[in-house]
Amino acid sequence: MRSLLGLLGARRGMGVSSPEAAARGAPSPPPGGRWPGRAVRLCIALLPPAAVAVLHLLLFPPSPITQAYDLEVGAVADEDLRAPFTFYGPRPQRELEAARRQAAAGVEPVYRAIPGANAQLRRRVAELVEQSRDASTRGDLAVPERASLLTRRVARVLAPDAVSFVDPTRGEALRRATQELADAIIGGGIADLLPSGSYTSVRVIEPGSGAEIARPLDALVSSDHLRDRAAALARGGLEPAEATALARTLGLLLSANLSYDDEATEVRRRAGAADVVEDRAYARGELILRAGSHVTLDHRRLLDALEEELARRAAAVGGRLRVRLLAGRALQVLIVMGGLLHLAARAERRNLVSARASLLMSSLLGLFLCLASLVVARPGLSPVAVPIALPAMLGTVLLGEGNGLRVALAGILLLAVAAAAPAPMAVVWVAIAVAAVRSIRRVRHRNQFYKSMAVVSVTSAAAVTALALSSGSADLGREIALGAIGAFASAVLALFLLPMFEALFGATTDLTLLELSDLNHPLMRRMALESPGTFHHSQVVGQLAEAGAHAIGANSLMARVGASYHDIGKMLKPRYYVENQSGENVHDDLTPSMSAMVIAAHVRDGVELGRQWGLPATVTDFIPEHHGTTVMQYFYQKALERDDGGAVSVDDFRYPGPRPRCRETAIVMLADGVEAATRSLRRPTPSRIREMTRKVFERRMAEGELDECGLTLADLAKVREAFIPILVSIHHERVAYPGQSAHEDQKEQEGLDARARARRKGAGLAPGA
């Protein structure tokens, strides 16, 4: 990994070294290699987002089946669901049963012709006709007596009806009508039973041959309705009394000649019901599921059929659709990742985020997607259990509050792209992410993770309650419990993974800075022993820097730790720096240019020493940047005084830089200059301290040293006002003890004499660097 990141050629540009400066820019590339170098950095920075896109496709493969159909039985539909196109699906159970009943009702009933029944019925009718004709010819008998004679001969004829049959004038017409009507009814069939149904014909099985004959239903008459049918047919050409007599007589004479076969009919009806197709066509736009209704088993079966049809259509389209879906999903993920990296770069006033920052953010999102896929894949787990607090916590501790929130929001968008949960759940995730970021934005102790866990749990419970009230969910207690479990798991995993991420990516968290701020650190103890003046100077500068950073909301801990280590390079040659000198000045025997080289070497030595001791890039960045590209004025002026040919170049007396590129290193530059300047004041009164501080700030601004750090004029004013009380307290006046004033006057005079001799010799004391 380090070799890959080393291709950028700039350690500073890659370092995810602090919560506030995780993605700061690298030094400008040399002329002629600017665009190729930027292209290389861009390609390397885009590799991690591309890996996230591939991982997203593997964990959440795109499918033409939308998550809108992912409804369990018993769930409540959020919106109307209509058929996206015409397709065939299973009928609802009630509709299928009704269709089967209708099909069974439409099956033709089966009848068996009763052997000999037609002949017997025709004999009865013929006997009636013959006997009534004979009785009507008896001229010796009156009509009532003729009728009585007929009833005695034909037992099925009633006396009132017999009068019509033996009437000498109308009797023959009635007998002829009776014969014709009886033949029609017998030929059409007389059934002993007509079952209910929607059939229009019947099947008659002939005896002996077993042949089936279809007969129309309107030709068939049942025994129960025989009289009514006869009456209806007889009204055509007969008097009402005659039609009544005919119908009543036929009702008594005729009986069923067809026997209903219930068993055969039931077999055929079952077969007809079984032939009913279970599927039917659902037209495009047809309502499948109404909003607010509960999902039944019928709905689920229909949705399964719709998903199968979608899959079938996708398979029919072939690889083109799959490629299109994969490309679309990949572009969506890359858009989210590109937006994340762009916002991270803009927050640091850069055009391109560092490769290490890109890799770290992508790793956090990759880890989150893996854990989220495990939650989403379990049908019994609610999306509220998705550990969105984990990337928020790790991102905040490793990259700062702003980038931590950006990483968490990017994770939410990546889940939204995969449609892994209902849209309202995003509100819960955002609330959890914000609570996690705000509760852990300044980590000073590891137990803050447990406090953050409590804050996230309470926030999750409130957000889940709001969501449950708006949706009418009944599983509020379970959702709150799952949210608390997710918060607990996120905090535990963050504590476990944080040291790994720190070691793997070389990140510098506040916890690491706290460890480095310990004065018992071996490097601090060595500096206190080998260069005590520099050690004291560093502690004072650290106190000033911490107050200044706190005043403008910068990382005060990073400023204090950076100030503690900013002059560690002086340990290698402590006697060359005035704060470690006790009388003899080694610069008296050196030329100004040589003195400048020695003084400037402590920057290079400090950076190398920091690397040897494993100091993070955040801390070693303070070593060159606290001097920036300022000029060592004392030695430069001495060189000008000694030079007669005008060959002195100011660049030979300039620190190598770079200039401060974050607020914290700029504050340390100002604190370093102010501390040295105020120490040189003969009478450091508050007014003189304030004036000297103002001059140092104005000089650094005029030199352009603060152009790249992001400090505003308002920030500089706040930092300056934060410095002054500390400087005043350091240089406050003390009560003079007896004899102390005379002794100090003597020492001051001796100092003036020594400086005068030094000026005459052309040498002087080297100022503190």
Side-chain angles (χ1 to χ4, degrees):
M1 180 188 300
R2 295 185 183 275
S3 60
L4 174 63
L5 296 176
L7 292 175
L8 292 178
R11 175 187 57 84
R12 175 63 183 274
M14 297 183 299
V16 183
S17 55
S18 73
E20 302 301 330
R24 294 190 298 232
S28 300
R34 180 175 183 179
W35 289 111
R38 178 174 295 180
V40 171
R41 291 197 300 274
L42 179 62
C43 291
I44 295 178
L46 289 180
L47 286 176
V52 173
V54 174
L55 180 64
H56 196 282
L57 293 175
L58 294 175
L59 297 176
F60 303 97
S63 171
I65 301 175
T66 62
Q67 293 295 328
Y69 306 141
D70 189 15
L71 297 171
E72 300 295 333
V73 175
V76 179
D78 296 331
E79 57 184 359
D80 288 348
L81 182 60
R82 299 182 180 273
F85 45 77
T86 300
F87 72 100
Y88 282 88
R91 302 170 184 259
Q93 194 63 29
R94 290 184 179 179
E95 181 180 329
L96 180 60
E97 292 176 358
R100 287 173 174 171
R101 287 194 299 269
Q102 184 177 358
V107 172
E108 298 172 328
V110 178
Y111 290 89
R112 295 188 179 274
I114 300 174
N118 290 349
Q120 182 181 4
L121 296 178
R122 286 189 174 92
R123 282 197 302 272
R124 289 179 185 176
V125 174
E127 182 183 5
L128 171 63
V129 171
E130 181 181 352
Q131 293 297 331
S132 63
R133 183 179 290 116
D134 182 67
S136 65
T137 59
R138 296 287 299 270
D140 56 336
L141 298 176
V143 172
E145 293 174 346
R146 296 174 187 173
S148 177
L149 178 62
L150 178 59
T151 57
R152 288 195 300 273
R153 293 178 177 178
V154 182
R156 295 177 181 269
V157 179
L158 299 178
D161 300 331
V163 174
S164 298
F165 279 97
V166 299
D167 184 88
T169 57
R170 299 285 302 171
E172 187 60 29
L174 180 59
R175 288 190 290 273
R176 190 166 50 252
T178 300
Q179 185 69 53
E180 294 174 355
L181 186 57
D183 289 341
I185 292 176
I186 293 171
I190 304 172
D192 58 351
L193 176 64
L194 281 179
S196 60
S198 58
Y199 52 90
T200 59
S201 61
V202 299
R203 310 295 294 185
V204 177
I205 301 177
E206 295 295 334
S209 65
E212 290 189 12
I213 301 175
R215 293 187 182 181
L217 181 62
D218 54 4
L220 196 70
V221 64
S222 68
S223 299
D224 296 338
H225 298 86
L226 178 60
R227 181 176 300 177
D228 297 337
R229 173 66 68 84
L233 296 174
R235 292 191 187 101
L238 299 177
E239 297 292 337
E242 295 173 347
T244 301
L246 185 151
R248 192 157 45 212
T249 300
L250 287 181
L252 294 174
L253 286 177
L254 302 180
S255 60
N257 59 0
L258 298 177
S259 176
Y260 175 64
D261 192 338
D262 180 68
E263 183 177 352
T265 302
E266 187 62 29
V267 170
R268 297 192 181 193
R269 285 187 171 181
R270 285 198 296 269
D275 290 339
V276 173
V277 179
E278 296 186 1
D279 293 345
R280 73 169 179 86
Y282 290 84
R284 179 180 180 181
E286 182 176 347
L287 183 64
I288 295 177
L289 183 59
R290 189 177 301 278
S293 59
H294 288 274
V295 179
T296 64
L297 186 59
D298 290 335
H299 292 138
R300 186 60 260 172
R301 289 171 179 166
L302 182 57
L303 294 177
D304 290 340
L306 179 54
E307 291 175 357
E308 292 177 2
E309 177 63 18
L310 286 168
R312 187 192 66 78
R313 293 192 175 202
V317 173
R320 289 178 299 172
L321 177 60
R322 181 170 296 277
V323 171
R324 189 175 67 184
L325 291 175
L326 291 174
R329 175 66 64 79
L331 285 176
Q332 288 178 315
V333 176
L334 290 177
I335 288 173
V336 173
M337 295 299 298
L340 168 64
L341 298 181
H342 175 73
L343 291 177
R346 290 294 89 194
E348 297 296 332
R349 296 177 176 85
R350 297 183 60 244
N351 294 323
L352 181 65
V353 74
S354 69
R356 187 170 295 181
S358 174
L359 182 59
L360 178 53
M361 293 179 184
S362 300
S363 300
L364 291 176
L365 289 175
L367 173 65
F368 167 68
L369 290 177
C370 292
L371 297 176
S373 66
L374 297 178
V375 175
V376 173
R378 295 290 298 273
L381 289 180
S382 169
V384 74
V386 169
I388 189 63
L390 177 61
M393 290 179 178
L394 289 177
T396 301
V397 176
L398 294 169
L399 297 167
E401 181 179 359
N403 284 332
L405 184 59
R406 294 182 190 101
V407 169
L409 294 180
I412 294 173
L413 289 177
L414 291 179
L415 284 186
V417 167
M425 185 56 63
V427 177
V428 178
W429 289 338
V430 169
I432 292 175
V434 172
V437 169
R438 295 295 295 173
S439 62
I440 207 166
R441 65 186 185 278
R442 283 288 182 264
V443 180
R444 293 296 184 266
H445 304 283
R446 295 191 185 269
N447 60 9
Q448 281 186 249
F449 283 91
Y450 300 106
K451 296 178 182 179
S452 177
M453 178 180 66
V455 173
V456 172
S457 298
V458 173
T459 304
S460 173
V464 168
T465 301
L467 181 62
L469 292 176
S470 63
S471 62
S473 175
D475 295 333
L476 179 58
R478 180 174 176 274
E479 296 287 314
I480 292 177
L482 287 175
I485 292 173
F488 175 79
S490 297
V492 172
L493 283 175
L495 270 173
F496 175 74
L497 295 173
L498 182 59
M500 300 182 184
F501 276 93
E502 287 183 277
L504 189 61
F505 294 97
T508 306
T509 66
D510 284 351
L511 296 175
T512 302
L513 293 175
L514 284 172
E515 295 171 357
L516 292 175
S517 67
D518 186 3
L519 296 181
N520 289 318
H521 189 280
L523 197 55
M524 287 288 97
R525 290 205 307 267
R526 177 181 169 184
M527 184 164 62
L529 293 174
E530 297 180 7
S531 54
T534 301
F535 176 80
H536 178 265
H537 161 74
S538 299
Q539 297 305 309
V540 174
V541 172
Q543 187 179 4
L544 291 170
E546 184 177 27
H550 181 74
I552 63 172
N555 193 331
S556 57
L557 177 61
M558 185 175 70
R560 176 164 61 87
V561 174
S564 299
Y565 292 87
H566 79 286
D567 272 344
I568 57 175
K570 293 181 179 181
M571 288 191 301
L572 302 182
K573 298 181 180 69
R575 295 187 306 110
Y576 284 86
Y577 304 94
V578 66
E579 67 266 20
N580 299 311
Q581 295 174 357
S582 58
E584 181 183 359
N585 182 11
V586 295
H587 290 280
D588 292 345
D589 301 325
L590 300 177
T591 64
S593 59
M594 181 60 69
S595 295
M597 291 177 60
V598 173
I599 295 299
H602 87 277
V603 173
R604 182 182 64 256
D605 295 339
V607 172
E608 184 62 30
L609 193 61
R611 289 177 179 174
Q612 292 176 3
W613 282 85
L615 295 181
T618 300
V619 178
T620 57
D621 286 343
F622 282 84
I623 298 174
E625 291 187 18
H626 86 277
H627 282 302
T629 59
T630 57
V631 177
M632 290 173 272
Q633 291 291 341
Y634 182 81
F635 295 114
Y636 177 58
Q637 294 298 329
K638 283 183 61 178
L640 291 178
E641 292 174 1
R642 294 186 177 186
D643 181 51
D644 296 333
V648 176
S649 173
V650 68
D651 292 333
D652 294 335
F653 297 87
R654 190 183 299 276
Y655 284 101
R659 292 173 176 176
R661 286 175 289 178
C662 74
R663 295 185 297 176
E664 289 79 10
T665 55
I667 291 172
V668 171
M669 167 186 275
L670 296 171
D672 182 67
V674 166
E675 196 277 337
T678 55
R679 188 179 294 274
S680 65
L681 291 175
R682 293 184 59 190
R683 298 184 183 278
T685 62
S687 60
R688 289 185 176 183
I689 290 175
R690 180 179 294 275
E691 180 63 20
M692 180 60 70
T693 302
R694 183 186 63 79
K695 289 181 178 180
V696 171
F697 275 58
E698 290 179 352
R699 187 184 310 125
R700 293 293 182 262
M701 291 177 59
E703 294 171 348
E705 296 296 325
L706 305 180
D707 291 349
E708 302 176 17
C709 65
L711 287 175
T712 64
L713 291 176
D715 292 337
L716 291 173
K718 294 177 182 178
V719 172
R720 185 176 65 246
E721 293 302 317
F723 282 178
I724 292 174
I726 298 175
L727 293 171
V728 170
S729 64
I730 292 175
H731 299 288
H732 70 277
E733 294 183 1
R734 295 173 176 83
V735 177
Y737 291 93
Q740 181 179 5
S741 298
H743 177 70
E744 289 182 352
D745 291 341
Q746 180 182 355
K747 289 293 184 182
E748 183 177 354
Q749 185 61 42
E750 292 177 356
L752 292 174
D753 294 341
R755 282 194 288 272
R757 289 194 299 271
R759 283 195 297 269
R760 287 194 297 270
K761 293 170 59 178
L765 294 174

